[in-house]
Amino acid sequence: MPLTRKAYRAAILHSIADPAEVGIEASYEYFEDGLLVVDNGQISALGHASELLASLPADIEITHYQDALITPGFIDTHIHLPQTGMVGAYGEQLLDWLNTYTFPCESQFADQSHAEEVAEIFIKELLRNGTTTALVFGSVHPQSVNAFFEAAEKLDLRMIAGKVMMDRNAPDYLTDTAESSYLESKALIERWHGKGRLHYAVTPRFAPTSTPEQLTLAGQLLSEYPDLYMQTHISENLQEVEWVKELFPERKGYLDVYDHYQLLGERSVFAHGVHLCDDECARLAQTGSAVAFCPTSNLFLGSGLFNLPMAEKHKLNVGLGTDVGGGTSFSLLQTLNEAYKVMQLQGARLSPFKSLYLATLGGARALRLEERIGTLQPGTDADFLVLDYNATPLLSYRLKQSKSIAETLFVLMTLGDDRTVAQTYAAGNLVHQR
Ligand code: GUN
Ligand code: ZN
């Protein structure tokens, strides 16, 4: 195959460490006039344009983006494909919201052509918003995952997804059985896990909708295949936490249910964790598990305020999740806007560099993919974005007053959304152009 080499010139910013560990200044690299070189879908060089240009052949194709910032692609560590059609459902908190809106909406995925149609819309929406990797809940139907992976494979995206397992406390039209969920998950794993840039996640919806038998089989799947992911929900809503105590009286608490069934580990991502206690954070950290912080959802469903400082104290891996359709936006910029406010309401600060970290390298670490995505380090996948400083008249005017990259970044996260994402590249291919 001939070498395809391209270079992109713009301001370039990426996170290289967690500000909580190394301090803000050592957590990022910024090139005011930077150059990103891409060879065959991977980043081969990153640096100051003035320095790198001299080392490159004179005829190299360079795309120069003015008034723009190149960053790594965003990573959404928690989102639901079959809830695309129900974003912004009025009036309920978690358990009533599931029964009233979510389950009926997800039932439509029994129809293969519906699943295919929504998968196309969903992936377009991810890319329009600059999300190049997501950890995705399908519906209970295997065809939801097949449709999603087929669409993702066509664009050579790095994506993770799984079929929901739920065999109780949900309508009959939407439940599987412990055995059928095991067999259907296994068939999907055999077909998709490790194919190109695709990975499979074993996906018990949450403790209340799985019998002990189903949770046992979820744990068994994880033991049967290397590098499988596990995704579920935890401690999102106080009524939910009480319900889990009633359903599993023999366990110490919510996390202990998952722990008992051997669902914790380095590729396990627990969505929300709003009401986790100190001991549970410690146990999650000890097992290398991660939590997906989903601020737009936690505010919209009235679930509560995620305690990021507590997670940091325990060195717990945290990624950012939109949680569409409980969340209200596909945009990780808008998600960070709300994350900032969630911290404000707790008397804490979220620096723009910590926010950048959460949306990129932090998410990659939560997914154990930091060798491949989340930064612009040479040798990693060329998944990156071009953010447009002139995306809206207000953004353009506001950024003209900016005195630093910190201020620019913060304003992008406050005023930015899908309009801010001018281009999205995945594996070096242009997969979205505004
Ligand atoms: N808990 C169990 N299922 C769901 C879901 O679909 N969305 C959210 N936000 N929480 C859940
Ligand atoms: Zn969710």
Side-chain angles (χ1 to χ4, degrees):
M1 208 168 58
L3 180 74
T4 61
R5 167 178 281 182
K6 287 187 180 164
Y8 302 87
R9 185 171 181 175
I12 302 179
L13 174 69
H14 71 155
S15 211
I16 53 173
D18 184 351
E21 284 173 17
V22 302
I24 285 173
E25 286 314 311
S27 78
Y28 69 94
E29 280 183 327
Y30 176 58
F31 305 93
E32 195 174 341
D33 180 15
L35 198 73
L36 183 74
V37 186
V38 175
D39 282 333
N40 287 333
Q42 295 204 354
I43 294 166
S44 59
L46 168 68
H48 297 287
S50 58
E51 290 168 17
L52 270 183
L53 281 172
S55 67
L56 292 168
D59 63 350
I60 186 170
E61 185 187 328
I62 299 177
T63 307
H64 197 166
Y65 293 114
Q66 309 276 357
D67 268 353
L69 181 67
I70 290 178
T71 69
F74 296 143
I75 299 170
D76 187 342
T77 60
H78 183 66
I79 187 165
H80 297 258
L81 161 70
Q83 296 175 17
T84 307
M86 55 155 293
V87 180
Y90 176 77
E92 306 294 350
Q93 294 209 352
L94 178 64
L95 300 178
D96 293 325
W97 174 85
L98 283 172
N99 286 314
T100 310
Y101 298 112
T102 316
F103 293 153
C105 188
E106 293 196 3
S107 73
Q108 298 173 279
F109 278 69
D111 174 7
Q112 170 83 24
S113 63
H114 177 81
E116 287 168 9
E117 184 190 335
V118 181
E120 293 286 339
I121 294 168
F122 178 82
I123 284 185
K124 256 195 201 123
E125 204 56 36
L126 291 177
L127 299 174
R128 289 183 62 255
N129 282 280
T131 298
T132 47
T133 292
L135 175 57
V136 178
F137 269 62
S139 67
V140 75
H141 317 94
Q143 53 266 43
S144 66
V145 173
N146 282 324
F148 174 72
F149 278 145
E150 274 163 18
E153 188 182 36
K154 277 191 238 157
L155 295 170
D156 194 12
L157 305 177
R158 189 173 289 285
M159 290 287 171
I160 314 168
K163 170 206 120 65
V164 159
M165 305 167 80
M166 58 174 169
D167 66 345
R168 66 165 168 175
N169 291 322
D172 289 344
Y173 61 75
L174 211 57
T175 46
D176 50 18
T177 66
E179 196 195 356
S180 73
S181 70
Y182 172 82
L183 294 172
E184 287 173 353
S185 300
K186 204 174 172 74
L188 290 167
I189 293 163
E190 298 279 349
R191 177 162 176 203
W192 294 110
H193 187 54
K195 192 169 187 214
R197 297 208 294 160
L198 306 175
H199 314 258
Y200 193 82
V202 174
T203 307
R205 178 170 214 120
F206 68 155
T209 48
S210 284
T211 58
E213 294 70 39
Q214 186 167 60
L215 294 175
T216 302
L217 289 176
Q220 192 177 317
L221 282 170
L222 293 175
S223 72
E224 286 175 30
Y225 294 88
D227 298 341
L228 271 185
Y229 288 86
M230 195 293 300
Q231 59 178 342
T232 190
H233 296 90
I234 192 163
S235 299
E236 173 180 4
N237 167 289
L238 289 171
Q239 268 185 311
E240 169 210 10
V241 174
E242 286 310 306
W243 194 22
V244 171
K245 279 188 202 153
E246 286 164 27
L247 290 168
F248 297 90
E250 70 285 8
R251 303 267 64 93
K252 278 185 300 193
Y254 202 156
L255 183 70
D256 192 46
V257 175
Y258 295 134
D259 207 350
H260 178 77
Y261 293 102
Q262 301 186 355
L263 300 177
L264 278 58
E266 293 200 342
R267 286 179 175 73
S268 295
V269 179
F270 295 87
H272 306 295
V274 170
H275 304 288
L276 288 170
C277 65
D278 221 45
D279 285 354
E280 289 177 316
C281 283
R283 179 64 184 151
L284 284 166
Q286 184 189 35
T287 55
S289 306
V291 170
F293 171 25
C294 306
T296 76
S297 170
N298 297 158
L299 295 172
F300 185 72
L301 293 178
S303 302
L305 305 174
F306 179 69
N307 190 340
L308 183 61
M310 177 159 85
E312 282 179 337
K313 185 184 79 183
H314 289 285
K315 296 191 171 14
L316 173 55
N317 275 327
V318 176
L320 206 60
T322 61
D323 193 32
V324 161
T328 49
S329 173
F330 276 79
S331 169
L332 284 177
L333 294 173
Q334 271 311 294
T335 304
L336 288 168
N337 185 20
E338 299 306 290
Y340 179 81
K341 297 169 192 171
V342 165
M343 291 303 110
Q344 278 281 37
L345 285 168
Q346 299 177 93
R349 281 211 190 143
L350 188 60
S351 92
F353 294 103
K354 177 72 186 198
S355 288
L356 176 70
Y357 173 80
L358 288 173
T360 57
L361 178 56
R365 284 185 175 167
L367 302 175
R368 306 286 162 180
L369 285 170
E370 67 271 27
E371 302 298 319
R372 300 266 33 100
I373 57 171
T375 71
L376 301 173
Q377 302 284 12
T380 66
D381 300 353
D383 291 0
F384 62 95
L385 313 176
V386 182
L387 304 180
D388 175 11
Y389 289 167
N390 298 317
T392 69
L394 178 61
L395 183 69
S396 181
Y397 180 69
R398 175 62 183 86
L399 288 181
K400 286 195 174 62
Q401 330 299 319
S402 173
K403 292 176 187 62
S404 64
I405 183 60
E407 185 177 350
T408 295
L409 187 58
F410 186 63
V411 170
L412 283 169
M413 289 161 175
T414 307
L415 298 182
D417 53 29
D418 53 341
R419 296 168 294 180
T420 316
V421 180
Q423 278 89 14
T424 303
Y425 288 86
N429 301 312
L430 181 63
V431 289
H432 164 68
Q433 163 116 287
R434 194 191 55 205

